[in-house]
Amino acid sequence: MNYENILSNFDNGITTITINRPSKLNALNKSTIKELHEAFKDADKDKETRVIIITGSGEKAFVAGADISEFADYSISQGERLAAQGQALLFDFVAHLGTPVIAAVNGFALGGGLELAMAAHFRIASDNAKMGLPEVSLGVIPGYGGTQRLPQLIGKGRAMELVMTAGMIDAAKALDYGLVNYVTPQEELIPLAEKLAGKILKNSPVAVAAAINAVNAGFEDGENGFDTEITEFGKCFGTADFKEGTQAFLEKRKPDFPGK
Ligand code: COA
């Protein structure tokens, strides 16, 4: 499929989605959000895609936020709709995909950019990356899940400080906070994402999806993560992947997971 604002490339079990508006520091306008929704949906449906990497084009930015020029004159109801639609189409959508999503943060990840990285299942960053939720400096608050996911990832006190000060942290601090799992020089960022994806590719995609669901359940209102874990654990026993995984172990060979 041809996109205007993003690139999607499949290779060796991995679909890499690149936000491609470098002249606007990859800011997320509505059409980019729609294209990202389609690209994530297609990659998730594609049985050959076992890991998705999301990154930004250029050397300066992952995503410098939601496109401020688009919502500057919005009303209360338009603002509410913007957040609700964005969360449904992209941020919650990504967080709940069964295909693992790794965010490769290659520069500024601000506002909606950090929110997108936080919706991914985990994050790595290049050493020039800078992250923050500067919305209050514009008179608004994070609306794409940032007030919820940032405290989940770095703790309430640190999140409160970062949000209220509209501050930015560098990659080293993000690593220290546990916001990203690794920091590398920029040219090694995608190779590292691919190396981590390669480790995931060796495992049962059905079990990986079940694990994502169980981990997410602990952060959902009204859901008991332990109960979800029990259900997902049980379901694994009915899968061909479980039969192959256990059989391969007993036969002292590498598993060849059928993915069902
Ligand atoms: N929305 C719309 N356009 C954006 C944008 C955003 N969030 N972030 C950057 N851009 C655009 C700039 O308007 C500029 O476009 P122009 O060349 O047509 O004027 C272009 O991207 C380059 O940005 P610029 O500000 O010139 O780069 P810089 O290196 O001086 O500063 C930042 C980089 C990230 C510090 C700065 O762009 C910034 O503060 N962006 C907004 C961050 C933000 O508040 N995000 C949260 C939004 S809710």
Side-chain angles (χ1 to χ4, degrees):
M1 185 161 173
N2 279 336
Y3 296 109
E4 204 182 311
N5 303 304
I6 66 171
L7 307 167
S8 182
N9 176 58
F10 173 81
D11 187 33
N12 213 10
I14 304 168
T15 291
T16 302
I17 300 172
T18 307
I19 300 152
N20 190 30
R21 299 180 77 213
S23 68
K24 296 290 173 194
L25 303 185
N26 303 322
L28 294 177
N29 58 7
K30 275 199 218 159
S31 71
T32 306
I33 288 179
K34 279 201 192 112
E35 288 188 3
L36 283 168
H37 173 79
E38 291 305 321
F40 275 109
K41 191 170 74 182
D42 286 352
D44 187 55
K45 264 200 268 164
D46 172 23
K47 290 279 164 224
E48 300 292 306
T49 295
R50 304 262 304 275
V51 178
I52 301 168
I53 296 171
I54 174 81
T55 193
S57 75
E59 292 178 356
K60 202 168 160 185
F62 173 72
V63 169
D67 192 321
I68 299 166
S69 64
E70 237 181 25
F71 61 72
D73 60 355
Y74 270 17
S75 66
I76 293 174
S77 60
Q78 284 174 308
E80 203 175 312
R81 214 173 313 128
L82 181 74
Q85 284 176 348
Q87 290 194 18
L89 271 181
L90 185 58
F91 300 84
D92 271 7
F93 187 75
V94 166
H96 291 100
L97 286 181
T99 310
V101 180
I102 304 173
V105 178
N106 56 311
F108 287 113
L110 301 175
L114 180 55
E115 289 172 304
L116 179 58
M118 292 194 295
H121 299 124
F122 64 90
R123 293 142 292 286
I124 63 174
S126 56
D127 50 17
N128 65 322
K130 289 213 160 41
M131 286 161 246
L133 295 177
E135 285 87 345
V136 297
S137 70
L138 298 165
V140 66
I141 69 166
Y144 289 146
T147 64
Q148 305 306 299
R149 292 198 177 96
L150 189 63
Q152 286 168 5
L153 286 165
I154 70 172
K156 188 175 170 186
R158 286 166 168 171
M160 283 285 198
E161 180 187 339
L162 204 56
V163 169
M164 288 190 284
T165 60
M168 268 190 227
I169 55 172
D170 62 17
K173 178 82 103 183
L175 183 65
D176 179 46
Y177 278 6
L179 186 53
V180 301
N181 294 5
Y182 303 92
V183 173
T184 68
Q186 191 160 57
E187 63 278 11
E188 288 166 29
L189 184 67
I190 296 301
L192 175 62
E194 288 171 351
K195 187 172 154 199
L196 294 165
K199 292 187 184 186
I200 299 171
L201 288 173
K202 294 194 181 122
N203 302 319
S204 154
V206 181
V208 167
I212 292 172
N213 193 29
V215 173
N216 276 342
F219 296 91
E220 308 285 347
D221 263 353
E223 274 195 53
N224 181 314
F226 290 96
D227 288 347
T228 305
E229 182 181 280
I230 290 167
T231 307
E232 291 290 356
F233 181 81
K235 274 174 23 193
C236 291
F237 287 75
T239 67
D241 276 11
F242 175 72
K243 288 189 178 50
E244 168 61 11
T246 46
Q247 198 65 35
F249 178 81
L250 295 172
E251 291 169 6
K252 299 191 187 306
R253 61 173 172 81
K254 288 206 169 104
D256 180 13
F257 289 113
K260 28 186 207 198

